[in-house]
Amino acid sequence: ERLVALLRDKLAWAREFRTRTQLVVASCSVADYRSGSDTGGVELPAIAKPSGGSASAGLRIIREPTDVAGLPDEYLLQTLLLPAQGDPEGERIKAAIAAGVLMQASEISVQLLYSAEGELLARFASRNRLKAGVPIEVQPVDLDIVWRAVDELAEILRDYAPAGPVNLQG
């Protein structure tokens, strides 16, 4: 219950988990960014989205400080995660960002399945091609860089007694 409540608030989750790992993207509220009080290390380009939102609803690209004008104070601001070197969608995504256009072409998605007792039962990772933020192709991946990050996050999750499925994306 505690973990679900925390995960429903993207800003609270980012702040709490970032105290334990740098794998969580730098995040702050738009209000904190505007005031400069606690930017959480957010750098531009960034994305802005509702802290309690779902998927990509309300997502905006922030390329310069004035781009936050008109956004609600409670929106979440996160440093934009750019594709890894050699990503097949990388150049298209970078060009879209430079033009201020939101393009979600791919993501790494990891599913963890926990027992009722909090034991990690299974895990799966994939590179998902996206269309308008929705997966249209799922390619399983088995990369050390992904599993090292997952292992670090799973160690933190253990303290929250997870039960059932947990999805991680980046």
Side-chain angles (χ1 to χ4, degrees), residues 9-87:
D9 182 337
K10 291 178 176 94
L11 181 56
W13 175 84
R15 283 182 171 157
E16 185 162 330
F17 271 58
R18 210 151 143 89
T19 65
R20 300 187 60 191
T21 179
Q22 292 301 301
L23 292 173
V24 175
V25 68
S27 307
C28 70
S29 70
V30 166
D32 287 342
Y33 184 79
R34 282 187 184 118
S35 71
S37 63
D38 181 12
T39 63
V42 171
E43 296 178 11
L44 301 182
I47 57 172
K49 59 187 174 183
S51 186
S54 179
S56 300
L59 195 71
R60 305 243 323 256
I61 293 178
I62 308 300
R63 294 180 300 153
E64 52 190 66
T66 56
D67 290 343
V68 299
L71 288 177
D73 283 348
E74 64 276 2
Y75 257 46
L76 171 70
L77 198 62
Q78 295 179 315
T79 300
L80 182 61
L81 297 175
L82 297 172
Q85 184 97 21
D87 185 293

Side-chain angles (χ1 to χ4, degrees), residues 67-119:
D67 290 343
V68 299
L71 288 177
D73 283 348
E74 64 276 2
Y75 257 46
L76 171 70
L77 198 62
Q78 295 179 315
T79 300
L80 182 61
L81 297 175
L82 297 172
Q85 184 97 21
D87 185 293
E89 304 289 347
E91 293 310 312
R92 269 183 353 126
I93 292 170
K94 290 174 187 174
I97 291 165
V101 175
L102 175 61
M103 174 192 268
Q104 293 177 280
S106 65
E107 68 185 5
I108 296 293
S109 182
V110 175
Q111 289 74 46
L112 305 175
L113 180 61
Y114 289 90
S115 70
E117 295 76 32
E119 177 188 357

Side-chain angles (χ1 to χ4, degrees), residues 108-111 123-127 139-142 146-147 150:
I108 296 293
S109 182
V110 175
Q111 289 74 46
R123 63 187 194 171
F124 173 78
S126 60
R127 181 182 184 277
Q139 301 170 329
V141 297
D142 187 19
V146 171
W147 295 125
V150 169

